[in-house]
Amino acid sequence: MIHKILHIGDPRLHLIADSVIEFDTPPLHTLIQDMFDTMHAADGVGLAAPQIGINLRIIVFGFEQNPRYPEQHGIPYTVLINPELNFINTEQEEGWEGCLSVPGKRGNVTRYKQLKYRGQDVKGSWFERDVIGFHARVVQHECDHLNGILYPTRITDPEDLIVLPQAFPDSQMEN
Ligand code: NI
C-alpha cells in the first residue's frame, strides 16, 4: 500500500525514532512492503519509516536505474533496521541530494565518503556492509531521518539549496 509522504514542516519528521524490538511479525512485513511501494511510487532511492508517520528505526533503499538520479549506479534493495553507522575515516565529500519530504529541491550536502553500516534485517539477523560514494550518502541521509534531521539543516550556504526547474514547469527558473 502506498502511503502519503510527510513534508518538511510536519513535526513528525523531527522526532527521534524508536528501536524495533519485535521481528518477523506480520505488521513488520506489511510496513516494509508499504515502504518499498511508497518509495517506488515516488521514484525514490530510499525511504525512512518516519517519512510515512511511523516512528521506528527502519529504512529501505535501493535501485537499479532511477530517473531522479540518472547518473548514479545501482544500490541493492535493502531493509535496514536499527542501523548503526561507523565512519572508517574522516574523509568527506559534497554531493547533490534530494528528499521525498523536501519536494522540488536539491541540496549540496557534505557527507562521509565511506562507512561501515550494520543493522538488522526483517527477521532480526544482524548484517554489515562497507560502502562508499552514493551508497554511503543514501544511508547517511536515511539514518538522519531516524534522528529527526532533514538535509536542509546540514546546509549552511544558501547557494547549496536549489529549486528544481521542473518544480515550476511554467516559469523561467532556468534563467
Ligand atoms: Ni529524505
Side-chain angles (χ1 to χ4, degrees), residues 5-9 13 47 50-52 98-103 145 150:
I5 295 175
L6 306 183
H7 287 169
I8 188 167
L13 289 170
L47 189 79
Q51 290 182 275
I52 57 169
C99 178
L100 298 175
S101 294
V102 187
H145 279 295
L150 299 179

Side-chain angles (χ1 to χ4, degrees), residues 69 71-72 94-98 106-109 134 137 155 159-162:
Y69 300 93
E71 74 285 6
Q72 299 294 347
E94 294 182 344
W96 289 92
E97 57 189 71
R106 287 291 165 96
N108 188 25
V109 186
F134 194 62
R137 174 172 298 277
I155 291 175
E159 293 197 347
D160 282 336
L161 188 64
I162 62 163

Side-chain angles (χ1 to χ4, degrees), residues 119-130:
Q120 288 164 282
D121 65 17
V122 69
K123 297 198 167 177
S125 300
W126 289 87
F127 66 100
E128 64 177 39
R129 282 186 189 144
D130 286 308

